[in-house]
Amino acid sequence: MKKILGICLLLLSHWAFAQTQLIRITTRNTSLLYSVNAQGRLIQRYFGQTVTADSLAKSSQEAYLTAGMESLLEPAIRIVHHDGNPSLELKYQSHNASRENNTTHTVISLKDPVYPVSVTLHFESFYEEDVIRSWTEITHTEKSPVLLTAYASSMLHFNAGKYWLTQFHGDWAKEAAMVEESLTPGIKTLESKLGVRANMYQSPMFLLSLNNAAQENTGETIAGTLAWTGNFKFDFQVDEKRALHVSAGMNPYAADYTLKPGEVFTTPAFIFTYSSKGKGQTSRNLQHWAVNYGVLDGRTPRLTLLNNWEATDMHFDEQKLTSLFGGAARLGVDLFLLDDGWFANKFPRNSDNAGLGDWEPNREKLPHGLGHLVKEAGKQGVKFGIWLEPEMVNPKSELYARHPDWIMKLPNRDEHYYRNQLVLDLINPAVQDFVYGIVDKTLSENPGIAYIKWDCNRMLTNTYSPYLKEKQSHLFIAYTRSLYKVMERVRTRYPHLPIMLCSGGGGRTDYGALKYFTEFWPSDNTDPVDRIYIQYGYSHFFPSNTMAAHVTNMGKQSLKFRTDVAMMGKLGYDIKVDDFTPQELQFSRDAVTTYNRIRDIIWYGDLCRLVSPYEAPRAVFQYTSPDKRQAVVFHYLMNTRRTDVFNVVKLQGLDPQRNYRIKEISLFPGTSSSFSNQVYTGDYLMTAGISLTPGRVKPLTSNILEITAE
């Protein structure tokens, strides 16, 4: 009895000490503060602009809400113990923080006083970028496995007068459309249940504004995204006191997880940033964080490329392809990318209903193999890249016939096809070996291949893993973890090979995958007007060098307009160069040269969205170098009318004391600029502004202005 009493007194003194201190997760402009209440539970005290006063308390809500106890709110975690008890209480045990240069890792340990269940909250704060990564580890030492039915990565609490939520949703060719709404009492959920190509309808990211609708340069704004290439779920619950509770993590739908004793269940990271200066600043925070920490080789130059898809579709041969290499050379791009249709022999890949899974070069189309193409491209001064879709299989393939046990499909239902294909059971280690082997064999046998476009053209339906057998509820989580295992192997062998993350357009756009990929394909829709909206949406979370943007023949706009839109991302071409007029070829060559000269400003500079396409029939974007000596302004007139009046545009982020010369660049041959080559002070450009429509207003026209300090 004395021993138990001593332990209780020790715990009470421990909690009493914890109550007197704050656990601080801080960046340059943000504070996230926790403390321990009288019951020994961890509570969130504050989240917002940096504070120093320890007494400040905007919230007293439990930091990581559990199910089965007294809380009436949606829980962050729910666990069913081996004895059937569906409750969990988490009490503070300890915390520690370690700092390395710009990054601080804070670890808070929580434990149930009755059951041997531990939950560890991790916070990695990036001081300069004002970004926080948070994730959770769950483990136990009960006698038998326990059941996890909810497992959020993170939870945040807010107290404000009103809350405005911006979601990014859409469909194929309609990705990242922005919709903002006021949150009302109850629960608003953003989620995906598609498993693979999970972002097809809903992107795993959101903006949250406090008190007022989101503004570009003013107001409290939180931007959040989940680093997970699978099912996700964001819950926004406004309670009866008008407090808001936000949880983010993997979607527990059809995903109860049986956790063995001693096993550590690690959630994906929730990445978020706060600003009191609007969504423009949260965007810049995430973009700067991404190029430094979030994207593979974020500060390594990307390759401009020419893709063959629009020129040939799947109908090509060796001679036709090698003739296209000259077009890439004439454009001045770095690489030629061979897209779908180059593989399979028994079931040749001449359409999308055959061949997936049989990854040997088609002997009729490519009698000398891929190596010959690599060499021929090299002779033209361009590198060579290849398209792969290694996670998928066509029923009309040798692989399907050879390994029916490798296919995800219900054993007693009709197969359901999407784009005439099924998904391989990547959870199976043998399939992981096969998928890795596709990549390794292709690259090792053709060592000059310099780029991969990794595609994934369907979601999960009628889903069943032969490998998992009775543990089907692990499927959605296990598939994504298995994908990461494969990519870890790929990156161990080929650490810096550029790989595009493609998924029938923007079906995979997340920082869980971008740890392994250098860029992503935002949409199969390359109509430049639509792309302005799509790239505008993604710009809230991703830097320009991650967004592959190609000049194509989609849309009826001029070549200049199409090119100017693509130059705002990672430039590429998917077009018949041989169809160019001499003027169009000269313009495109000059555009590639210009892009290579200004790309560092676009990729690494500060983005200011000056005019939103959602608010006017035009869009204006400004990228400014970190030293404020250079800026590039992209101006797009969209479907304008004669009655439209366009006011002057005030630039941002310049040095008010410097003089800047404004010059229009990327002009089409034979045309002249309506902009005078004048010099203005930074103060004038930001205070008075300039007209971006000095001449006649024409629909579907564009300008790129280079602004240089003198």
Side-chain angles (χ1 to χ4, degrees):
M1 177 66 72
K2 290 182 179 180
K3 185 176 181 181
I4 295 174
L5 181 61
I7 292 173
C8 291
L9 289 172
L10 180 64
L11 288 173
L12 285 172
S13 64
H14 181 63
W15 291 336
F17 173 74
Q19 283 182 265
T20 65
Q21 61 176 333
L22 286 177
I23 303 170
R24 296 177 176 274
I25 293 97
T26 59
T27 66
R28 179 183 293 276
N29 297 297
T30 305
S31 291
L32 175 58
L33 307 181
Y34 295 99
S35 67
V36 181
N37 66 12
Q39 291 74 43
R41 297 181 184 177
L42 184 74
I43 61 171
Q44 178 187 311
R45 288 277 298 278
Y46 174 83
F47 176 47
Q49 192 169 358
T50 298
V51 293
T52 56
D54 288 358
S55 60
L56 185 62
K58 281 191 174 182
S59 171
S60 59
Q61 185 56 253
E62 194 167 350
Y64 194 72
L65 283 168
T66 65
M69 300 298 288
E70 68 280 358
S71 176
L72 303 179
L73 298 172
E74 192 75 8
I77 183 172
R78 182 177 182 271
I79 190 170
V80 180
H81 300 280
H82 76 280
D83 62 1
N85 190 319
S87 67
L88 182 69
E89 183 180 15
L90 293 177
K91 294 200 173 185
Y92 170 85
Q93 297 296 302
S94 65
H95 75 277
N96 63 77
S98 58
R99 182 169 182 176
E100 183 177 349
N101 299 323
N102 184 56
T103 306
T104 300
H105 184 189
T106 303
V107 180
I108 306 175
S109 299
L110 311 173
K111 191 174 182 181
D112 191 303
V114 176
Y115 291 91
V117 176
S118 298
V119 173
T120 305
L121 306 181
H122 292 263
F123 301 88
E124 193 173 26
S125 55
F126 300 85
Y127 184 81
E128 293 293 341
E129 293 81 9
D130 284 324
V131 168
I132 299 172
R133 292 175 72 246
S134 62
W135 69 97
T136 302
E137 291 179 335
I138 305 165
T139 189
H140 73 97
T141 56
E142 297 190 24
K143 296 178 181 179
S144 303
V146 303
L147 190 67
L148 287 173
T149 65
Y151 29 75
S153 296
S154 185
M155 198 166 198
L156 295 171
H157 307 283
F158 302 92
N159 285 287
K162 293 194 74 174
Y163 310 96
W164 294 82
L165 175 68
T166 302
Q167 61 176 300
F168 299 77
H169 75 103
D171 194 354
W172 178 83
K174 302 174 185 177
E175 292 86 350
M178 297 176 63
V179 174
E180 185 176 34
E181 60 186 327
S182 175
L183 291 174
T184 58
I187 300 179
K188 170 77 174 185
T189 298
L190 307 179
E191 65 177 349
S192 169
K193 300 175 182 176
L194 304 181
V196 181
R197 198 185 174 194
N199 306 355
M200 180 175 173
Y201 297 135
Q202 186 78 47
S203 295
M205 54 198 190
F206 65 86
L207 297 174
L208 178 67
S209 296
L210 308 183
N211 298 310
N212 296 291
Q215 300 296 316
E216 194 67 30
N217 299 307
T218 60
E220 291 187 276
T221 305
I222 298 92
T225 184
L226 191 70
W228 182 245
T229 319
N231 291 351
F232 59 87
K233 185 180 183 185
F234 302 132
D235 281 332
F236 305 85
Q237 183 172 14
V238 179
D239 67 20
E240 72 285 355
K241 297 180 180 179
R242 297 204 61 81
L244 173 64
H245 314 278
V246 180
S247 64
M250 296 181 288
N251 195 339
Y253 165 78
D256 291 352
Y257 193 91
T258 304
L259 187 66
K260 295 180 292 186
E263 179 184 359
V264 179
F265 183 91
T266 304
T267 69
F270 175 55
I271 302 164
F272 59 100
T273 183
Y274 164 91
S275 173
S276 61
K277 298 178 181 178
K279 60 184 179 179
Q281 188 59 54
T282 60
S283 300
R284 292 186 287 276
N285 292 347
L286 288 170
Q287 290 160 3
H288 294 321
W289 171 84
V291 297
N292 291 325
Y293 303 99
V295 180
L296 181 67
D297 294 336
R299 289 198 173 271
T300 300
R302 273 38 178 164
L303 300 173
T304 54
L305 61 84
L306 173 66
N307 197 347
N308 71 297
W309 184 253
E310 281 206 12
T312 67
D313 195 76
M314 295 184 189
H315 308 297
F316 53 79
D317 56 24
E318 199 170 77
Q319 182 177 359
K320 183 178 288 188
L321 290 178
T322 54
S323 70
L324 296 176
F325 297 160
R330 291 194 298 277
L331 272 177
V333 297
D334 301 309
L335 178 134
F336 179 87
L337 172 62
L338 175 58
D339 214 296
D340 196 357
W342 59 268
F343 53 91
N345 286 288
K346 184 175 181 179
F347 303 99
R349 182 69 168 177
N350 295 321
S351 65
D352 67 5
N353 67 352
L356 274 181
D358 301 343
W359 294 99
E360 69 282 346
N362 180 272
R363 290 186 292 271
E364 184 176 342
K365 294 180 181 180
L366 307 177
H368 298 97
L370 294 176
H372 173 74
L373 297 179
V374 173
K375 292 178 182 177
E376 290 300 312
K379 291 178 183 178
Q380 297 281 352
V382 294
K383 299 178 181 180
F384 183 84
I386 196 74
W387 178 93
L388 294 172
E389 193 177 5
E391 301 164 68
M392 302 290 158
V393 62
N394 286 128
K396 195 175 180 181
S397 68
E398 293 183 82
L399 178 65
Y400 182 90
R402 191 166 61 248
H403 282 292
D405 57 318
W406 284 9
I407 316 299
M408 280 199 175
K409 57 179 182 177
L410 290 164
N412 58 349
R413 304 284 187 186
D414 292 339
E415 292 179 350
H416 175 254
Y417 305 132
Y418 185 90
R419 208 183 180 223
N420 299 304
Q421 63 193 58
L422 295 166
V423 182
L424 291 175
D425 186 3
L426 196 61
I427 302 164
N428 186 334
V431 177
Q432 294 174 30
D433 291 341
F434 171 76
V435 172
Y436 169 76
I438 292 167
V439 179
D440 187 43
K441 184 174 185 291
T442 302
L443 294 175
S444 61
E445 291 183 355
N446 309 281
I449 290 179
Y451 182 96
I452 289 176
K453 178 181 177 181
W454 184 299
D455 215 337
C456 173
N457 278 303
R458 71 153 294 167
M459 69 301 292
L460 287 176
T461 56
N462 293 33
T463 307
Y464 180 93
S465 163
Y467 180 80
L468 283 176
K469 298 182 174 63
E470 74 281 357
K471 290 188 177 180
Q472 294 301 311
S473 65
H474 287 205
L475 190 152
F476 290 116
I477 295 174
Y479 186 95
T480 303
R481 288 178 173 175
S482 299
L483 173 64
Y484 293 163
K485 287 180 182 178
V486 171
M487 294 311 303
E488 287 283 356
R489 293 174 67 182
V490 170
R491 283 312 179 189
T492 298
R493 182 73 185 273
Y494 307 98
H496 301 295
L497 179 79
I499 305 180
M500 177 201 288
L501 177 64
C502 182
S503 190
R508 283 175 167 172
T509 50
D510 65 272
Y511 283 114
L514 285 173
K515 176 182 177 181
Y516 308 105
F517 293 81
T518 51
E519 63 201 68
F520 67 91
W521 184 235
S523 178
D524 284 341
N525 184 352
T526 55
D527 181 296
V529 172
D530 292 338
R531 265 302 181 110
I532 288 171
Y533 287 94
I534 292 168
Q535 292 171 194
Y536 178 87
Y538 281 125
S539 74
H540 289 79
F541 293 86
F542 300 101
S544 296
N545 67 340
T546 63
M547 288 187 272
H550 292 181
V551 181
T552 75
N553 282 323
M554 188 177 290
K556 297 180 180 180
Q557 300 82 6
S558 69
L559 178 62
K560 173 175 168 52
F561 189 87
R562 287 176 276 147
T563 304
D564 287 356
V565 172
M567 287 177 71
M568 206 171 60
K570 202 231 70 173
L571 180 65
Y573 288 81
D574 193 342
I575 202 165
K576 294 181 180 179
V577 178
D578 288 343
D579 289 349
F580 280 168
T581 66
Q583 292 81 7
E584 288 174 333
L585 180 59
Q586 184 62 51
F587 167 77
S588 299
R589 284 180 57 85
D590 292 344
V592 172
T593 301
T594 298
Y595 179 78
N596 288 335
R597 181 171 59 80
I598 65 175
R599 66 187 185 185
D600 282 2
I601 304 171
I602 300 169
W603 293 351
Y604 310 127
D606 288 332
L607 168 64
C608 294
R609 294 179 293 262
L610 304 181
V611 178
S612 166
Y614 285 90
E615 297 172 359
R618 69 166 170 171
V620 184
F621 303 82
Q622 176 187 334
Y623 297 87
T624 307
S625 63
D627 62 6
K628 300 185 179 183
R629 295 193 62 86
Q630 292 177 287
V632 180
V633 173
F634 293 87
H635 174 227
Y636 308 105
L637 288 172
M638 300 161 72
N639 295 307
T640 59
R641 301 176 300 169
R642 289 181 179 273
T643 55
D644 288 327
V645 176
F646 298 107
N647 297 323
V648 297
V649 175
K650 297 178 181 180
L651 305 189
Q652 298 176 18
L654 302 177
D655 184 340
Q657 304 303 318
R658 281 182 170 148
N659 292 323
Y660 292 90
R661 183 173 296 278
I662 296 182
K663 178 184 178 182
E664 184 173 5
I665 58 176
S666 194
L667 289 167
F668 198 82
T671 63
S672 58
S673 176
S674 298
F675 295 88
S676 57
N677 190 13
Q678 286 188 304
V679 176
Y680 303 87
T681 66
D683 181 60
Y684 180 88
L685 292 172
M686 293 188 292
T687 304
I690 59 171
S691 172
L692 297 181
T693 54
R696 181 183 174 189
V697 175
K698 297 180 181 179
L700 302 176
T701 57
S702 56
N703 312 95
I704 303 178
L705 302 181
E706 186 173 19
I707 301 171
T708 308
E710 294 193 338

